[in-house]
Amino acid sequence: MREFENLAELSALVGQDIGVSEWVLVDQDRIQKFADATDDQQWIHTDPLRAAAGPFGCTIAHGFLTLSLLPIFFETGFRIKTVRMGLNYGLGRVRFPAPVPVGSRLRGRFKLRSLEPIAGGAQISIEVSVEREGSDKPVCIAESLTHQFE
């Protein structure tokens, strides 16, 4: 995990990669729990037998499941030592350019887009590219906006 002393140190890195998270396994249990939590039981996610004959040959993760992994990617991708609290401020553009087959391992790669001062901290825009192990194409690209307070 990459560590930064403070927001000022991070601000010098606009336009650069600032970290890569650990891998996270997306197995059928995780997919089913997400389906249960969101009431999205579409067969392409929850029915392995039917999905085996479908377009991907297996079940695939929900796009929003992939997006919901951003917090765990942030937790293991980088750290700002002086930040005492961070808040999710929202998302900019989000795309899902490739599916996530069951059994995939994913990780987040972070690029600092901007860092703007706010009272007590900064608003940070980070481009998160979610990578699937063994694939050249990202499975999600999202602009994450957070407020970080020192």
Side-chain angles (χ1 to χ4, degrees):
M1 176 189 301
R2 190 164 176 194
E3 290 191 327
F4 302 96
E5 288 300 319
N6 51 42
L7 291 169
E9 179 183 347
L10 188 64
S11 70
L13 300 175
V14 171
Q16 297 181 41
D17 286 343
I18 60 169
V20 177
S21 76
E22 294 178 6
W23 293 103
V24 172
L25 177 65
V26 179
D27 59 11
Q28 190 61 47
D29 183 58
R30 185 183 295 263
I31 292 170
Q32 187 60 56
K33 286 177 179 172
F34 188 85
D36 293 343
T38 61
D39 288 333
D40 182 351
Q41 300 288 338
Q42 185 182 32
W43 63 267
I44 196 70
H45 308 301
T46 61
D47 187 339
L49 292 177
R50 187 172 176 193
F56 304 106
C58 62
T59 57
I60 59 169
H62 307 71
F64 286 134
L65 166 56
T66 302
L67 189 63
S68 77
L69 296 174
L70 263 55
I72 195 168
F73 295 148
F74 271 93
E75 186 70 28
T76 64
F78 67 93
R79 178 172 148 344
I80 307 163
K81 291 180 183 179
T82 58
V83 166
R84 60 182 169 77
M85 181 179 71
L87 295 174
N88 176 5
Y89 189 65
L91 297 165
R93 184 180 168 135
V94 177
R95 298 291 181 265
F96 303 104
V100 176
V102 66
S104 295
R105 288 186 354 135
L106 306 179
R107 70 178 178 186
R109 182 173 300 276
F110 304 98
K111 179 184 251 182
L112 181 62
R113 293 313 225 168
S114 67
L115 189 149
E116 303 294 330
I118 59 172
Q123 178 172 299
I124 300 175
S125 171
I126 295 178
E127 179 183 292
V128 184
S129 180
V130 181
E131 303 172 342
R132 181 170 66 88
E133 188 175 45
S135 177
D136 293 336
K137 191 172 190 176
V139 296
C140 178
I141 301 170
E143 177 192 13
S144 173
L145 303 168
T146 63
H147 285 179
Q148 302 291 322
F149 298 95
E150 292 183 308

